[in-house]
Amino acid sequence: MTVLAGTLAVALAGIHVFAGRLRGLSGVPRSVWLSMAGGASVAYVFVHILPELHYRGAVLQRVGNRAFGFLEHHVYLVALLGFTFFYGVEQFARQSRESDEHSEVGGAKTKTSTGVFWIHIGSFTAYNALIGYLLVHRERPGVESLLLFATAMALHFVVNDFGLRDHHHEAYDRLGRWILAVGVVAGWALGSATVVGELAVNTLFAFLAGSIVLNVIKEELPEDRDSRVWSFALGAGAYTAVLLAG
């Protein structure tokens, strides 16, 4: 199972390396494929992760240690923490781009400053490392669970990749995408070398759940993206059907 998880970690890393070549996904109106990928990612959170965490949290609350008891019983608070953290990161990047508007020349797109680039990429590298780690330590064991998780994260990575490239442009293509790719594999390596309790895994998944929701929604909601609701709903509905059939 560890070898399969490692193979999937490399595949996920490859998405950041090669997604930029899919030029048909960029531009306005927003690509229907990106919206569908976002919908599938969110469906995975609401249909698979949160219900599972709620059930396990209720059980573990009765048998777990008190240090993690509060977090386990309130997995939605941890999900809210993940949502809020990446909301702050996104706002930080957007404000940096707004401050660059005064230097815009010839209609060129604004981009973040060097400092914000490193903070933004650093946050998403840790995020990718968490995903790589959870390829090894999941809330539900088994090959089917691993493949469902990896598929949802692959679609999510495509969405994140285009969002980060929109913020950082050539800096992302030159350096950022490679750092993010390394983060996934490093997370898998760390997960393969360490063993954590079920309480900790559930807490990490809850944080990831909230983060996924924010990182998808922030790409869909801005008015200038001209997103298509039907394609997002189609992606969510299709992956929900897959999850319920599994």
Side-chain angles (χ1 to χ4, degrees):
M1 187 70 72
T2 301
V3 175
L4 176 58
T7 302
L8 293 172
V10 173
L12 288 174
I15 290 175
H16 283 304
V17 174
F18 298 111
R21 298 183 180 181
L22 304 174
R23 298 300 180 183
L25 298 183
S26 59
V28 177
R30 184 167 175 79
S31 166
V32 296
W33 299 109
L34 283 180
S35 291
M36 288 177 65
S41 304
V42 170
Y44 183 77
V45 170
F46 285 104
V47 178
H48 185 84
I49 295 182
L50 291 181
E52 183 71 18
L53 291 180
H54 180 77
Y55 168 75
R56 289 178 177 270
V59 173
L60 291 170
Q61 172 68 15
R62 297 194 294 268
V63 300
N65 64 61
R66 294 185 179 181
F68 287 95
F70 180 81
L71 291 180
E72 279 299 327
H73 191 59
H74 297 81
V75 291
Y76 298 106
L77 292 182
V78 183
L80 176 61
L81 177 63
F83 186 98
T84 303
F85 175 79
F86 277 97
Y87 175 73
V89 170
E90 177 66 14
Q91 287 299 101
F92 190 50
R94 286 184 180 275
Q95 289 170 8
S96 175
R97 289 182 64 180
E98 289 173 1
S99 68
D100 187 53
E101 287 182 353
H102 69 278
S103 61
E104 185 175 336
V105 178
K109 292 183 178 179
T110 57
K111 60 183 179 180
T112 59
S113 66
T114 301
V116 171
F117 167 80
W118 285 110
I119 293 173
H120 205 197
I121 294 300
S123 299
F124 274 90
T125 300
Y127 180 69
N128 280 12
L130 172 61
I131 292 171
Y133 188 86
L134 292 176
L135 284 170
V136 181
H137 303 287
R138 294 178 313 286
E139 87 291 2
R140 182 185 299 178
V143 174
E144 180 181 342
S145 172
L146 174 58
L147 293 178
L148 287 173
F149 176 63
T151 301
M153 293 306 98
L155 295 171
H156 182 50
F157 274 21
V158 174
V159 175
N160 281 351
D161 191 89
F162 277 82
L164 290 167
R165 183 173 287 101
D166 186 52
H167 274 305
H168 306 295
H169 307 312
E170 66 276 0
Y172 181 78
D173 283 325
R174 185 179 65 254
L175 186 60
R177 60 182 175 138
W178 297 102
I179 297 174
L180 294 180
V182 170
V184 185
V185 179
W188 165 81
L190 180 62
S192 301
T194 60
V195 178
V196 296
E198 193 171 359
L199 292 167
V201 171
N202 281 13
T203 301
L204 291 173
F205 257 105
F207 183 87
L208 177 65
S211 304
I212 291 173
V213 173
L214 185 280
N215 284 316
V216 170
I217 295 303
K218 72 179 176 62
E219 298 297 331
E220 293 293 327
L221 289 184
E223 185 176 352
D224 59 1
R225 295 293 172 85
D226 195 13
S227 301
R228 295 182 175 89
V229 176
W230 68 265
S231 56
F232 182 90
L234 180 60
Y239 208 67
T240 295
V242 172
L243 293 168
L244 293 179

